[in-house]
Amino acid sequence: MWGKNWKSHEKLPCLDSNCLQHQNRVADEKNDEKFDAQLMSLDVCTEETNVKCHGNTKDLESLVNEKDGEGHKETNSSFLHAVINMSGMLIGLGQLSTPYALENGGWASAFLLVGIGVACAYSSHLLGKCLHKNPNSKDYKDIGQHAFGSKGRIVATTFIYMEIFMALVSYTISLHDNLATVFLGIRINLGWNNLRTSQILTAIAILVALPSLWLRDLSSISFLSTGGILMSLLIFVMVACTAVFGGVKANHSIPALQLSNIPAISGLYIFSFAGHIVFPNIYSAMKDPSKFTKVSIVSFSLVTLLYTALAFMGAKLFGPQVDSQITLSMPRNLIVTKIALWATVLTPMTKYALEFAPFASQLEQTLPHSLKSRTKMIIRGTVGSILLVLILILALSVPYFEYVLSLTGCLVSIGICIIFPCAFYTKIFWSQITRPLLILNMILIMSGVLLGATGTISSSKLLAKKLQRAHTS
């Protein structure tokens, strides 16, 4: 969720019209084409929900400086700022489902949550080693290409876009579920369709967010990412307030272990730590990249602590009745519940423009250079609008948040978070890797494949059963 735009509060690149006029005067046509190609290649966002952000403003600023003749890259991110970036980017949609996952997996599944956090922190460390090995690698896709050539880049790109698309579907489902609770008792009848009130409200919310897809200037949408992380933190605080001041007793017992549910809930845990796509950009922005491993350790420790605390708190408060989204389980008469619900509603609406940015960049890169900027903007906005409408239709057709989120984690996120980093590192450092490290990486790769396969099968079956029941009813 951080990426390029989380850096906006520190120092945004000069993107105003006067600055761009100056740059256009000092840059020749050849440099312009190089700058545009580089800018288009940057990733902006991917959230797992934690819905995730690619790149950061420092990388964008370095490109602006290069175009302006400076040709150097600023690296002003301190250790603390890097920790804030990484922690804030990890905290997202996944936190809503951790109480549900713990209740269904048993309190012993907390060891799985912590274990996945440790494995993801380790794989983050491996990405930093790969970047140090090849300074020309700037993002996740570059590491894939360095390791396995063009095939590695294609696979990495495919998984990145799959995660973005599936995360957006999950966000829209969450938006629908929480809007239905916020406006409970309100009925909207348009007279010419069979849509329920919650579906109409979701469509209206999508229409409100739609204009943001037409923005290309990153500084224009940077405030959205800031709003996203504030909403995520606000949700956690409101759940804590429910436990302390809400009159709800945390007296429910949590089962020890429900082994049959582990494959499905593992996807929920994995998605909560999905964010490795942006880590190369955080690494590149650091003043001292040698501290990247410490940044990973501190960030994952903080986030894992937050997730574990929220998981036990929600499971103890609501027990078997805990919803797949903790906000939907909170007592509706409390003011803290209303705040949490609205925070959950606003969070997805801050993500659409950021998540769509990689698609927009890739699309513009493939368009003919002869097209005018206005024409490119119209094409980009139109395609984005169509994709968002398709996401809306899919989300309303498959309104099962926990299963879609779990499927995303098992099918896509585990590859990006664990399998690929270990494989990239092993391939790049093959001639130097020690035997114990090789064994560890192979164990993680095989464990990731096994967990991903079993979780994907389990989540798919549960989703299919839900759809079948809904169809028959």
Side-chain angles (χ1 to χ4, degrees):
M1 295 183 294
W2 282 69
K4 288 184 180 116
N5 300 301
W6 286 119
K7 303 286 293 176
S8 60
H9 68 280
E10 178 190 8
K11 184 179 179 182
L12 283 173
C14 183
L15 294 177
D16 59 79
S17 58
N18 293 331
C19 180
L20 290 177
Q21 289 174 5
H22 171 68
Q23 292 166 355
N24 290 333
R25 286 197 299 269
V26 300
D28 58 22
E29 182 177 355
K30 181 177 179 180
N31 287 335
D32 283 344
E33 293 175 353
K34 177 182 177 183
F35 171 72
D36 292 337
Q38 287 176 305
L39 181 57
M40 292 304 170
S41 68
L42 286 175
D43 292 326
V44 183
C45 261
T46 164
E47 132 128 207
E48 231 257 31
T49 187
N50 234 237
V51 171
K52 317 310 182 263
C53 229
H54 315 313
N56 74 50
T57 55
K58 294 301 177 186
D59 296 324
L60 181 59
E61 186 174 8
S62 68
L63 290 177
V64 174
N65 290 337
E66 181 177 344
K67 183 177 179 181
D68 203 23
E70 296 176 24
H72 68 277
K73 181 178 179 179
E74 285 193 37
T75 53
N76 293 332
S77 181
S78 64
F79 177 86
L80 178 60
H81 198 88
V83 169
I84 293 173
N85 273 353
M86 186 175 289
S87 302
M89 180 269 305
L90 288 171
I91 300 172
L93 189 67
Q95 71 172 345
L96 299 178
S97 62
T98 52
Y100 171 86
L102 187 73
E103 169 63 30
N104 283 271
W107 62 261
S109 70
F111 290 104
L112 177 62
L113 173 63
V114 175
I116 291 175
V118 172
C120 288
Y122 170 72
S123 62
S124 172
H125 158 74
L126 296 185
L127 290 178
K129 291 294 184 180
C130 293
L131 291 166
H132 179 73
K133 179 76 171 180
N134 182 17
N136 291 327
S137 296
K138 303 301 180 185
D139 57 27
Y140 196 94
K141 295 177 293 185
D142 288 343
I143 299 175
Q145 183 166 4
H146 182 208
F148 296 102
S150 57
K151 292 182 180 178
R153 186 177 189 88
I154 291 172
V155 171
T157 302
T158 301
F159 270 73
I160 288 171
Y161 289 162
M162 284 177 61
E163 186 175 58
I164 290 172
F165 183 83
M166 295 179 73
L168 281 176
V169 173
S170 300
Y171 268 119
T172 308
I173 295 173
S174 174
L175 176 65
H176 168 266
D177 293 344
N178 285 275
L179 276 173
T181 304
V182 168
F183 292 98
L184 189 66
I186 296 178
R187 294 187 177 276
I188 299 177
N189 187 4
L190 299 180
W192 48 267
N193 61 55
N194 296 322
L195 293 178
R196 297 190 299 272
T197 299
S198 60
Q199 295 174 324
I200 295 173
L201 290 171
T202 306
I204 293 173
I206 292 295
L207 290 175
V208 172
L210 203 59
S212 64
L213 298 185
W214 293 69
L215 298 173
R216 186 184 185 280
D217 186 347
L218 297 178
S219 63
S220 300
I221 60 177
S222 61
F223 72 94
L224 295 176
S225 57
T226 306
I229 191 171
L230 291 177
M231 294 301 102
S232 296
L233 294 175
L234 184 61
I235 292 168
F236 176 81
V237 172
M238 292 302 102
V239 175
C241 288
T242 302
V244 178
F245 307 111
V248 181
K249 295 182 179 180
N251 56 2
H252 290 278
S253 61
I254 305 173
L257 180 64
Q258 302 188 73
L259 197 59
S260 60
N261 294 335
I262 293 299
I265 68 156
S266 63
L268 300 176
Y269 286 152
I270 293 164
F271 186 86
S272 300
F273 292 105
H276 289 59
I277 299 169
V278 74
F279 292 172
N281 304 105
I282 294 177
Y283 176 94
S284 300
M286 291 184 65
K287 290 179 181 179
D288 185 4
S290 65
K291 296 181 179 179
F292 181 76
T293 297
K294 293 182 179 179
V295 169
S296 299
I297 294 173
V298 173
S299 300
F300 275 93
S301 297
L302 292 173
V303 172
T304 302
L305 181 62
L306 182 145
Y307 285 158
T308 306
L310 184 61
F312 276 100
M313 184 165 54
K316 291 291 290 181
L317 281 171
F318 307 110
Q321 286 72 45
V322 67
D323 200 275
S324 59
Q325 300 177 69
I326 186 63
T327 51
L328 301 180
S329 299
M330 298 168 65
R332 294 174 183 173
N333 61 317
L334 299 179
I335 184 64
V336 293
T337 301
K338 293 179 173 59
I339 295 174
L341 286 170
W342 273 110
T344 311
V345 166
L346 294 176
T347 297
M349 297 182 67
T350 67
K351 304 299 179 184
Y352 292 115
L354 301 173
E355 294 286 347
F356 176 68
F359 293 102
S361 298
Q362 188 65 35
L363 176 62
E364 286 196 11
Q365 193 174 5
T366 59
L367 293 175
H369 293 290
S370 57
L371 291 179
K372 296 181 180 179
S373 298
R374 182 179 178 84
T375 304
K376 290 183 178 180
M377 181 194 71
I378 293 174
I379 294 174
R380 183 182 69 249
T382 302
V383 172
S385 301
I386 294 172
L387 284 175
L388 194 54
V389 171
L390 290 176
I391 288 170
L392 172 64
I393 295 173
L394 184 58
L396 295 181
S397 303
V398 191
Y400 306 111
F401 176 81
E402 64 271 31
Y403 302 130
V404 175
L405 200 67
S406 178
L407 183 61
T408 304
C410 292
L411 182 63
V412 183
S413 299
I414 195 167
I416 294 176
C417 295
I418 297 177
I419 299 174
F420 292 164
C422 292
F424 293 163
Y425 179 86
T426 301
K427 180 64 168 61
I428 293 173
F429 289 88
W430 181 256
S431 61
Q432 307 171 28
I433 193 170
T434 62
R435 187 177 182 84
L437 198 57
L438 176 62
I439 294 174
L440 174 60
N441 286 352
M442 295 306 297
I443 290 174
L444 286 175
I445 291 173
M446 290 187 292
S447 300
V449 171
L450 178 63
L451 201 60
T454 56
T456 298
I457 294 172
S458 178
S459 300
S460 299
K461 286 182 177 179
L462 291 171
L463 183 58
K465 287 181 180 179
K466 275 286 187 179
L467 291 173
Q468 188 177 10
R469 290 175 186 172
H471 180 72
T472 54
S473 61

